[in-house]
Structures are given as structure tokens and as C-alpha cells.
Amino acid sequence: MVAVVIHWIQLIRHTAYNESMSKRDKSATREKILNAAEDVFSEKGYHDSLMDDIVVASDTSKGGLYFHFPSKETLFMALLDRLAESLLKDVEKEIEKNKGAVAKIQAALEAVMMALSKRRRLAKILLRQGYGLPKFEEKRLEMFDKFASLIERYLEEAVDEGSIPPLNAKITAYAWLGALNELVVRWLFLKEPHPIKESLPALLPLFLRGIGINYVDQ
Amino acid sequence: MVAVVIHWIQLIRHTAYNESMSKRDKSATREKILNAAEDVFSEKGYHDSLMDDIVVASDTSKGGLYFHFPSKETLFMALLDRLAESLLKDVEKEIEKNKGAVAKIQAALEAVMMALSKRRRLAKILLRQGYGLPKFEEKRLEMFDKFASLIERYLEEAVDEGSIPPLNAKITAYAWLGALNELVVRWLFLKEPHPIKESLPALLPLFLRGIGINYVDQ
Amino acid sequence: MVAVVIHWIQLIRHTAYNESMSKRDKSATREKILNAAEDVFSEKGYHDSLMDDIVVASDTSKGGLYFHFPSKETLFMALLDRLAESLLKDVEKEIEKNKGAVAKIQAALEAVMMALSKRRRLAKILLRQGYGLPKFEEKRLEMFDKFASLIERYLEEAVDEGSIPPLNAKITAYAWLGALNELVVRWLFLKEPHPIKESLPALLPLFLRGIGINYVDQ
Amino acid sequence: MVAVVIHWIQLIRHTAYNESMSKRDKSATREKILNAAEDVFSEKGYHDSLMDDIVVASDTSKGGLYFHFPSKETLFMALLDRLAESLLKDVEKEIEKNKGAVAKIQAALEAVMMALSKRRRLAKILLRQGYGLPKFEEKRLEMFDKFASLIERYLEEAVDEGSIPPLNAKITAYAWLGALNELVVRWLFLKEPHPIKESLPALLPLFLRGIGINYVDQ
DNA sequence: AATGAATGAGAATTCATTCAT
DNA sequence: TATGAATGAATTCTCATTCAT
């Protein structure tokens, strides 16, 4: 008898639940966890962040966390994906505002550095957390690849346009990202030089003259 | 009379001591541990390396390890110091073989990449292990600073010589190291592009034209 | 309508909850651990008792133990609290059976010694384990204080009644407890003199005459 | 050949050593170690005191310590013996100054409390360190026995003199020591009541009336 | 989907003791 | 006797993950 009532209750509760949860909001819990994870990982780094920290920060529960993400690694990877996607979208938007391959290249470099210097937590996770281990390193390489492809494409366009002489676009893109990365990290941990105020003005001529554009600071 | 004999004894003992000491060279155990740590850390990364692994690899003992290095962190830091020092010495030697600031700059870039690509384990530890945490990140920044200073010095010399136009030498040095770092890490984990065969030939014109040298590949 | 059903459900669930809870009685695991800790600590002493011993004896798990008690020290303190509370309750019950301050004092002394000599393990832990370190010593002093307060109260009552001349009730209480403690410990480790058969009959006249009662053995 | 010389050297050194060490000074090192051990044990307690702490505090060496005391336990026991002996000697001297059993009893009680309250480190070690373990507990009981015997003797003398009615001298002695112990420990850890200023004046009437002496405070 | 108590294989570090010199 | 580097068994505590509810 009790069992029947409980079953009935569950039906009712389930319905009530679905009613209160709007369809668009796929999972509020999942988002809460990812947001908390962003806080925690950027603060303490991958290894020193505990699943419990994230549970507390997200105001959810152990079981809930593991329901959405089967492991710490999975959670971290999902976070990397979300951050990279968001960053990439921002950068692409900035690029689209410009016409001409050279202008787009310049816009991309500026946008990447701007985005990272405005979102320290994101930068810390994307650039520094959890690396040294193949599984994460490959993820990072994969993310960098996406940004590199973007730059590569415009470099090749510029060559095609005749705006710059031929070059190894892929290696150029990696080198640039590596340089940006290094300067953002210095700022992240040492607070200087400031990416936008100091690094970028010095970097742009270095980069653009490097590919044969006679860059002149405005 | 006794005093004379004692003096004599001391001479003998001193000699014997030096003989036996030369074999063990300033604590053989300490060296064995550092060598083993280099193996283990480069293989497994900082967090996945166990003190026990290092004990076994060094054929010493738990207590011995902790006698020489009070913690895992201390050991890792000592290892970073040793590696950076050794690498820096190699690079400086290569630089000295060249005359003229521009030649020295080029030699430095080549030497860094050469050294790293020849010593994968060293590169893996120096460039990727344990980072993300302030304590280690600061060490890495400190090591990079040493290399950057080297490059910076020759860049300033080149400006003084009139070989290149004025520039922000510090940021240029960091950018270059960041670029090298990125390409070495790609090769470390993905096996390509090869630092010496592919990256360096593309990088040198990029770098040197960037600072106003009309570089032409030989 | 839904609200009504939910309310109904809650009633049912609440009942079910209480039913299942009565079986486990406020964390069965916690109790199992405390019971096991009592066994182990009394057997081996604080320092020679391993957390592993307690895990095994309680038939729970390492993690479970640390879930309930964040450290060995915490566990020991919790155990002391539980034991002292239980002992105090017993003693108070015995006291209540008597009328008149003097009779109550005598009952208290008898009850304390009776309780300790009947529960050797408890006595061993309460009187001897882990002391010498301020953190534990303060706990012991705190526990003794509770017993001392009890005795103190009746001593003052007796003075007020005019049954005994004025005295320093606090110091008298501490002195008595110290004396009982010493004799119980002797018996605990040397097996003699027996607290009830030998010590108490000698102690009562000593104590009671000391406060001005012309005690005569029955 | 070298072996022969070394052997010769050893003979000479051994002789020189004996010459420089005067006969009376059985072992300065041994004393240094015991003094250091007294400091360290009283400060940190038995378990938290490291052999290394004692090595450092005594300005000797690991090997030296183990030459004189084969184990930590041995060292602690030796220290207990030394302290108890010294304390007992002091107390006996005080007793001898008095004539008559009752006066001697009172002198003994005063002397014990005086000695302990003047030498906190000694008291801490003698009364509180390392107990709970049979091996140390027996030692403590043995030490207390010596003091108890002293008191017992005078109690029996007093009975023989007819100064006090018959009593169980042994249990009385233990009870008194337990009481003193408790009050000294309270002062040791809580700083009050002060043994000489507060406890003793309240204790003496309690003790002496307890054995049938019509004690009147001066 | 959510909860949080429970699990247990680690893993760093400790420290009394030994031993070659 | 003295030295201090070396040993390694022992031990507390950690934390990702599981699971009954």
C-alpha cells in the first residue's frame, strides 16, 4: 500500500518538476557546476582543486556533480571546451568587423590578447592549468590549433592577395600564439608588463614586420 | 713528540679522506637522487611521480631522499635549478663562438632550440611540469628571465651598433622565448613540426625581419 | 489540488523516514566508531592505537572514520566527552538517592570509585591516556572540574547546614579527586590495593575527618 | 702499509684522548644529553620530543646520544631516575630538619609541594609525561612509592608515639600524594590555584585533621 | 536528478635506530 | 667515543569515486 502511494507521489513530483523547469534551461545544475569549477580551478589549479570545493562553491551535491560529469577530468575538459568556445566566438566577432586580410590579422591578435587580459580566470585555466600531462596537453594543443587555424587562414589570404610574401603560415601562427601566451602568463603571475598597454604595442611591429608588412605605429 | 705524530697522522688522514671523497664527489647520494628525479619527473610529470618512484629509481632510501630534500617540492625546485643552469651554460658557450650582436642573437636562438630538442626530458620538465601553481610558475618565470636577459643584452648591443632600429628588447626576448616554447612543446607532445628541421627555418626570418634585419635564408 | 497531494506525500515520507531512522539511531557508524575507539584506546593507549586499528575494530572504513572525526585527536576528545558524560550521569543518579549533604558527599565518593573500578577501560582512558600534552591535559582538567563542581556543591551545602566547619570547598574537591585517581590508577596497573575493598574503607575516614565530620566506620 | 699507520694512529689518539679526559668527569656528554632531555621532554612531552631535538639541544650528535642511551625509552627512564633521586634527596633534607613524627610529616608534605612548584620542568616530567603506557606507568608508580614510603614511615612512627590514632599508612600516603599531584598539575597547566599560596594552606588542615591531628592554622 | 555518507587505495612524510668512518 | 648520512617500517590523513536512499 505504501509502495503504491510512493510510486504515485513520484509521478506527481516528477510532473511538478518538469512543469517548474522550463525547456530552454537544459540544466541549471550543470551550469552552476561549470561556473563554480571555473572559479575553483582558476584559483587553485587542477590538482589542488577538490571535487568537494566545487560541490561547495556550486551549492549542489557530490552526487549531482557526478551525475553531470563522470570524473574530475571530464569536468575539467568540459570546462576547457566551454571557455575555448566562448573565447573563440569573441575573437571571431572582432575579426569580422575588419576588411582585408592584414587588418583581420591585426584584429585577431588584438582580440586574443584583449580577451585574455580582461578575463584572468579564463586565461589562467586555458593557459596554465593541469598541463604537463599528455591528456591535458593534447587538449590545450587542440584549442591552440583552433586559434592558429584562424590566423593561418588570414595569413594565407594575405599571401594570396599579395599583401605579404609567402611564409609558413602554420608555424607563424603557433609562434605568435606562443609569444602572446608567454606575455599573458607573465602578466598573470607577475602583473607586468601589461598585455595591452605594454606588450601589444611592442608586439605588433615585431609580428607584422616579421611577415613583411612595413608596420608603422599610429 | 706526540704533537708531531698527530700532525703526521692528520696529513695521512687528510689524504685518505680526499681519495675516498673524490670517488663520491660532493655527495653521491644527492646526485643519484637528482638524476633519478630527472628521469621520473620527465616520464610521469610532477603529480604522477611518487617519491617512492624516485627512491627506487635512485637506488637509495626514503629517509635518504628526505635527508637531502625536505619535500617533493624542494626536490623539484632543486632539479629545475640544476637543469636551467646546465642549459644556460650550454647556450652561453654557443653564443661565445660568434662575433657581432646579430650573429650572437641568431646563435642564441639556435642554441636554445637545439638544446631543448636534443634533450627531451629536460625540455619536458623545464617547459611543462607542475605549472599553474604560483610557486612553480614563479620559478619558471625566473628561469625564462635568465634566458631573456641573455637575448636582451645582445638585442641592445645590436641597437647600439646600429645593426637594428630601436625596440623593446625585453618584450622581444619574452616573445621569442614564448614562440620557441610553444613550438618545442608541440613537438614534444605531437612530434611535429620538428624544431630544427621545420620550425627554426621558418622562425628565424620571422624573428629577424621582425626586428628589422633583412634576413635571407642561406 | 497538487499542493494537497504534496502535503500528504510529505506526511507519508516523513513517517517512512522516521521509521528507517529509528533503526540506525543517529548515525550507527559514528557509534560503532566510538565503541571501537573505546576498546582500542583502553587497550593500547593513545599513541599506540592506530587509526587502522579502530577502522578494523569498528568494521567501518578509513574514509568513514575521517568523515565523522576529522583527526585522531578529535576522535579521542569526542570519546572523552562521551565517557565523562556517561560517568557523570551515573554518579549523579547515585547521589540523588541520598538525603542530606554529608550523605550525598559520601555517596558521591563511593559512586565515583565504584564506577571507575567497575569500568576499567573507561578508567584507563579517562585517567591515563594521552596526557602530558596541553591539549589533552586541559580536557582532563575540564572533566575533573565537572566532578569537582558536584562535590563542591554538596560541601558548601554541608557548610551552610552547619554540618561541617567552613573550608575551601574547591581545593578539597580537587584533593579528593586526586587521591581517588591515584588509588584507582595503582589498582589499574598493579592490581592492588583494591579500590572498593581496601582503599575506600581507609579513605572515607581520612576524607571525612579531614573536613570535620567525626566519621565512624560501620 | 697505510693500514699499519692508521692502527698506530688509533693507538696514539686513544691515549691522547684518555689523557685529556680527567677521571672524575665520567662523561660530560652524558650530562649534556640528560640536561637537554630534561628541557625537551618537559617542553614537548615524551612523544612529541624527537631524538633529534635532544641532539640539537645538547649540542652533541646522534651517534653520541645512542652511545650513552641505547634507546629513547632508556633515556627517558634514566632521566626519571635522575629527577626522582634529586627530588627525594631535597625532601629528605627538609624532613631531617624537624623533630617529632608529626612535624616531619608536615615538613615532607611542604617540601614535596615546594620542590615541585619551584621546578616546573621537573614536575611536568615526573607527574605527566609518557604515561598511560604500562612501562612508564610502572616507573611512575615506583617513584611515587619511594615518596609514599617516606611518609608512611613517619605516619607509623606517629602512631607508635601515640600522636595519632591507628590508620592505614600506605593508603593515606598514596592519597596524599595523589592530592598533591592533582593540585600541582592544575597549577602546571592552568596556573591556579597556586600550590604554595593557595593549595597548601587548605590542604594541611584537610590532611592532618584526616589523620586525627587537631591542626590549627598559624 | 539529487543527496551525502561511505569507501579504500594511496601518498607524503616522520623518526627511532643503525652503521661506516 | 663521536659523527651524521642513511635506512625503512610505520602512520596519519587525502580525496576521487561509489552507492543506497
Side-chain angles (χ1 to χ4, degrees):
Chain A
M1 161 58 193
V2 168
V4 172
V5 175
I6 286 174
H7 181 238
W8 199 41
I9 286 160
Q10 283 170 345
L11 278 175
I12 293 166
R13 299 190 74 217
H14 195 242
T15 309
Y17 177 79
N18 279 346
E19 276 170 10
S20 71
M21 289 298 279
S22 72
K23 253 100 212 190
R24 58 157 178 82
D25 194 1
K26 263 300 186 45
S27 172
T29 301
R30 199 188 141 92
E31 290 305 305
K32 275 163 73 180
I33 292 169
L34 281 169
N35 291 336
E38 194 174 326
D39 281 349
V40 175
F41 282 132
S42 69
E43 198 66 43
K44 306 192 178 186
Y46 180 76
H47 276 98
D48 290 351
S49 295
L50 309 184
M51 291 304 255
D52 267 306
D53 292 338
I54 295 166
V55 165
V56 169
S58 64
D59 192 35
T60 59
S61 69
K62 262 302 205 343
L65 200 167
Y66 276 90
F67 177 81
H68 290 288
F69 304 95
S71 72
K72 187 180 179 181
E73 198 180 311
T74 313
L75 169 59
F76 186 63
M77 293 293 203
L79 183 60
L80 288 182
D81 279 334
R82 192 177 82 150
L83 291 177
E85 202 184 324
S86 135
L87 186 61
L88 199 60
K89 206 171 290 171
D90 287 2
V91 171
E92 279 174 330
K93 208 184 340 175
E94 285 306 310
I95 293 173
E96 292 313 312
K97 292 181 184 166
N98 292 274
K99 295 291 169 203
V102 172
K104 285 184 173 186
I105 287 168
Q106 193 173 332
L109 295 172
E110 281 169 355
V112 169
M113 195 158 252
M114 188 71 82
L116 291 174
S117 61
K118 276 195 180 151
R119 298 163 74 182
R120 295 196 65 196
R121 289 184 338 183
L122 178 154
K124 253 189 167 166
I125 294 174
L126 244 35
L127 305 181
R128 296 277 94 186
Q129 299 312 343
Y131 301 125
L133 300 172
K135 56 188 172 189
F136 291 135
E137 201 62 54
E138 271 153 31
K139 190 82 193 168
R140 193 190 68 88
L141 259 16
E142 180 197 317
M143 295 187 307
F144 267 52
D145 262 347
K146 285 187 187 150
F147 287 92
S149 300
L150 212 66
I151 292 169
E152 219 181 313
R153 193 164 74 237
Y154 295 114
L155 281 173
E156 277 161 1
E157 249 179 70
V159 173
D160 290 347
E161 282 178 13
S163 314
I164 57 169
L167 46 51
N168 186 326
K170 192 176 283 297
I171 285 180
T172 301
Y174 290 147
W176 284 359
L177 287 173
L180 292 178
N181 174 77
E182 179 67 23
L183 283 154
V184 170
V185 170
R186 292 201 89 76
W187 164 76
L188 236 33
F189 289 92
L190 300 183
K191 293 290 192 178
E192 45 114 359
H194 189 279
I196 304 303
K197 290 194 210 129
E198 295 160 84
S199 299
L200 200 59
L203 240 32
L204 279 180
L206 191 68
F207 283 2
L208 299 178
R209 283 179 197 148
I211 59 170
I213 292 170
N214 192 13
Y215 177 86
V216 184
D217 204 355
Q218 295 86 22
Chain B
M1 162 57 192
V2 167
V4 173
V5 175
I6 287 174
H7 182 236
W8 199 42
I9 288 160
Q10 284 170 344
L11 278 175
I12 293 166
R13 300 190 74 218
H14 195 240
T15 309
Y17 177 79
N18 278 346
E19 273 168 15
S20 71
M21 258 333 241
S22 67
K23 273 169 208 154
R24 42 167 58 215
D25 183 37
K26 258 190 179 183
S27 184
T29 301
R30 200 189 139 92
E31 292 304 307
K32 274 164 72 181
I33 292 169
L34 282 170
N35 291 336
E38 194 175 325
D39 284 349
V40 175
F41 282 134
S42 68
E43 199 67 43
K44 307 194 179 185
Y46 180 77
H47 278 99
D48 289 351
S49 295
L50 308 185
M51 291 304 257
D52 265 310
D53 294 338
I54 295 167
V55 166
V56 169
S58 64
D59 190 35
T60 58
S61 67
K62 216 46 160 279
L65 200 168
Y66 276 91
F67 181 81
H68 290 288
F69 304 96
S71 72
K72 189 179 178 181
E73 193 180 316
T74 311
L75 169 59
F76 185 64
M77 292 294 203
L79 182 60
L80 288 182
D81 279 333
R82 196 179 77 152
L83 291 177
E85 202 182 325
S86 135
L87 187 61
L88 199 61
K89 207 172 289 172
D90 286 2
V91 171
E92 279 174 330
K93 210 186 332 177
E94 284 307 309
I95 292 173
E96 291 313 313
K97 292 181 183 164
N98 291 275
K99 296 289 168 203
V102 172
K104 285 184 171 185
I105 288 167
Q106 193 173 332
L109 295 172
E110 281 170 355
V112 169
M113 195 157 253
M114 188 70 84
L116 291 173
S117 60
K118 276 196 180 150
R119 298 161 76 180
R120 295 195 65 197
R121 290 185 340 183
L122 179 155
K124 251 190 168 165
I125 295 174
L126 242 36
L127 304 182
R128 294 279 96 184
Q129 298 311 342
Y131 301 124
L133 300 171
K135 57 188 172 190
F136 290 134
E137 203 62 56
E138 270 152 31
K139 191 83 196 169
R140 194 193 66 89
L141 258 17
E142 180 197 317
M143 293 188 306
F144 267 52
D145 263 346
K146 285 186 187 150
F147 288 92
S149 299
L150 212 64
I151 293 171
E152 216 180 315
R153 194 164 71 236
Y154 294 115
L155 281 174
E156 277 161 1
E157 248 179 72
V159 172
D160 291 346
E161 280 178 15
S163 314
I164 59 171
L167 45 50
N168 187 327
K170 194 178 282 297
I171 285 181
T172 302
Y174 291 145
W176 284 1
L177 288 173
L180 292 178
N181 174 75
E182 180 65 25
L183 284 154
V184 170
V185 170
R186 292 201 90 75
W187 164 75
L188 236 32
F189 289 91
L190 301 182
K191 291 291 190 181
E192 46 112 350
H194 189 281
I196 303 302
K197 290 195 209 128
E198 294 161 84
S199 299
L200 199 58
L203 241 31
L204 278 181
L206 191 69
F207 284 1
L208 298 178
R209 283 179 197 148
I211 59 170
I213 293 171
N214 192 14
Y215 178 85
V216 183
D217 205 356
Q218 294 86 26
Chain C
M1 159 59 190
V2 167
V4 172
V5 175
I6 287 175
H7 182 237
W8 199 40
I9 287 160
Q10 283 171 343
L11 277 174
I12 293 166
R13 300 190 74 218
H14 194 242
T15 309
Y17 177 80
N18 279 345
E19 273 168 15
S20 72
M21 258 332 241
S22 67
K23 274 169 206 151
R24 41 170 54 218
D25 183 36
K26 258 190 179 183
S27 186
T29 301
R30 200 189 139 92
E31 292 305 308
K32 274 164 73 180
I33 292 169
L34 281 170
N35 292 336
E38 194 174 325
D39 284 349
V40 175
F41 282 134
S42 69
E43 200 65 44
K44 307 193 178 185
Y46 181 76
H47 279 99
D48 290 351
S49 295
L50 307 186
M51 291 304 256
D52 266 309
D53 294 339
I54 295 166
V55 165
V56 169
S58 64
D59 190 35
T60 59
S61 67
K62 207 64 153 273
L65 199 168
Y66 277 92
F67 181 81
H68 290 287
F69 305 96
S71 70
K72 187 179 179 181
E73 194 180 316
T74 311
L75 170 59
F76 186 64
M77 293 293 202
L79 182 60
L80 289 183
D81 279 333
R82 195 177 78 151
L83 291 177
E85 203 182 324
S86 134
L87 187 61
L88 198 60
K89 207 172 289 172
D90 286 2
V91 171
E92 280 175 330
K93 209 184 334 175
E94 285 307 310
I95 292 174
E96 292 313 312
K97 292 180 183 167
N98 292 275
K99 296 288 168 203
V102 172
K104 284 184 173 187
I105 287 167
Q106 193 173 332
L109 295 173
E110 281 170 356
V112 168
M113 195 158 251
M114 189 69 84
L116 290 173
S117 61
K118 275 198 180 148
R119 299 161 76 180
R120 293 196 66 199
R121 289 187 340 185
L122 180 153
K124 251 189 169 165
I125 294 174
L126 242 35
L127 304 182
R128 294 278 95 185
Q129 298 312 343
Y131 300 125
L133 300 173
K135 56 190 172 189
F136 291 133
E137 203 62 57
E138 271 152 29
K139 191 83 195 168
R140 193 191 68 89
L141 260 15
E142 181 198 316
M143 294 188 307
F144 267 52
D145 262 346
K146 286 186 188 151
F147 288 92
S149 299
L150 212 65
I151 292 171
E152 217 182 315
R153 194 163 72 234
Y154 295 114
L155 281 173
E156 277 160 1
E157 249 178 72
V159 172
D160 290 346
E161 283 178 13
S163 313
I164 58 170
L167 46 51
N168 187 327
K170 193 177 281 298
I171 285 180
T172 301
Y174 290 146
W176 284 1
L177 288 173
L180 292 178
N181 174 74
E182 180 67 23
L183 283 156
V184 171
V185 170
R186 291 201 89 76
W187 164 74
L188 236 32
F189 289 91
L190 301 182
K191 293 290 192 180
E192 45 112 358
H194 189 279
I196 304 303
K197 290 193 211 133
E198 295 161 82
S199 299
L200 199 58
L203 240 31
L204 280 180
L206 191 67
F207 284 1
L208 298 177
R209 284 179 196 148
I211 60 171
I213 293 170
N214 192 14
Y215 178 85
V216 183
D217 203 355
Q218 293 85 25
Chain D
M1 160 60 192
V2 168
V4 173
V5 174
I6 287 174
H7 181 237
W8 199 41
I9 288 160
Q10 284 171 341
L11 279 175
I12 293 165
R13 298 188 75 219
H14 194 241
T15 309
Y17 177 79
N18 278 345
E19 276 168 11
S20 72
M21 289 299 278
S22 73
K23 254 98 212 191
R24 59 160 177 80
D25 193 2
K26 261 305 185 39
S27 174
T29 300
R30 198 188 141 91
E31 290 305 305
K32 275 164 73 180
I33 291 169
L34 281 170
N35 291 335
E38 193 175 329
D39 281 349
V40 175
F41 282 132
S42 69
E43 199 66 42
K44 307 192 177 185
Y46 180 76
H47 276 98
D48 290 351
S49 295
L50 309 184
M51 290 304 256
D52 267 304
D53 292 339
I54 295 167
V55 166
V56 169
S58 63
D59 191 35
T60 59
S61 69
K62 262 309 205 340
L65 200 167
Y66 275 90
F67 177 81
H68 289 288
F69 304 97
S71 73
K72 187 180 179 182
E73 197 179 312
T74 313
L75 169 59
F76 186 64
M77 292 293 204
L79 183 61
L80 288 183
D81 279 334
R82 194 178 80 152
L83 291 177
E85 200 182 327
S86 134
L87 185 61
L88 199 60
K89 206 171 290 172
D90 286 2
V91 172
E92 280 175 328
K93 205 178 349 169
E94 285 307 307
I95 291 173
E96 292 313 312
K97 293 181 184 165
N98 292 274
K99 296 291 168 201
V102 173
K104 284 184 172 185
I105 287 167
Q106 191 172 334
L109 295 172
E110 281 169 357
V112 168
M113 195 157 253
M114 188 69 83
L116 291 173
S117 60
K118 277 198 179 148
R119 298 162 75 183
R120 296 196 65 195
R121 289 183 337 183
L122 177 153
K124 255 190 164 162
I125 294 174
L126 243 35
L127 305 182
R128 295 277 96 186
Q129 300 311 343
Y131 302 125
L133 300 171
K135 57 187 171 189
F136 291 135
E137 202 63 55
E138 272 153 29
K139 189 84 194 172
R140 192 191 68 88
L141 258 17
E142 181 197 317
M143 294 188 307
F144 267 52
D145 262 347
K146 286 186 185 150
F147 287 91
S149 300
L150 212 64
I151 292 170
E152 217 181 314
R153 194 163 73 235
Y154 295 115
L155 281 173
E156 278 161 0
E157 249 178 71
V159 172
D160 290 348
E161 281 178 13
S163 315
I164 59 172
L167 45 52
N168 186 328
K170 194 177 282 296
I171 285 181
T172 301
Y174 291 145
W176 284 359
L177 288 174
L180 292 178
N181 175 76
E182 180 65 24
L183 283 155
V184 171
V185 170
R186 292 201 89 75
W187 164 75
L188 235 33
F189 289 92
L190 301 182
K191 293 289 192 180
E192 45 113 351
H194 188 280
I196 304 303
K197 290 194 210 129
E198 294 159 85
S199 300
L200 200 58
L203 240 32
L204 280 181
L206 190 69
F207 284 2
L208 299 177
R209 283 178 197 149
I211 59 171
I213 294 171
N214 191 13
Y215 178 85
V216 183
D217 204 354
Q218 294 85 25

